[in-house]
Amino acid sequence: MSDANVRIPEETGDRLAAIAAAEGLSLRAYLARLVETLLTPAERAEWAERAEKALAALKEWNGYAPRAAEDQDLGSKLDRRLARVSGQ
């Protein structure tokens, strides 16, 4: 494993260290875990394409085609549930 030096504002570093400590992790471990939760632009595009294909399959299979407002509401509900289970 290689080390990297990253220059960030002191306040940001202090905040990251405090968050990591609250999670019972070192800053290195916290950042490694954090990075695993992020997607690159290419990965986001891939997931968006997969989601479109899944919606098309659902529509073909049972006619399910949520309106934009319904889709946004469902996304908000999912975000709230994920935040609840992740303790945020």
Side-chain angles (χ1 to χ4, degrees), residues 39-54:
L39 299 174
T40 65
E43 290 168 332
R44 282 194 300 275
E46 180 184 335
W47 277 102
E49 183 179 330
R50 291 175 68 183
E52 286 179 31
K53 287 179 180 179

Side-chain angles (χ1 to χ4, degrees), residues 16-64:
L16 283 169
I19 293 168
E23 299 269 340
L25 299 169
S26 67
L27 182 55
R28 175 186 289 203
Y30 178 77
L31 290 173
R33 188 179 76 176
L34 178 64
V35 167
E36 291 300 316
T37 68
L38 303 174
L39 299 174
T40 65
E43 290 168 332
R44 282 194 300 275
E46 180 184 335
W47 277 102
E49 183 179 330
R50 291 175 68 183
E52 286 179 31
K53 287 179 180 179
L55 279 174
L58 283 170
K59 184 175 182 179
E60 183 179 324
W61 176 58
N62 68 2
Y64 179 72

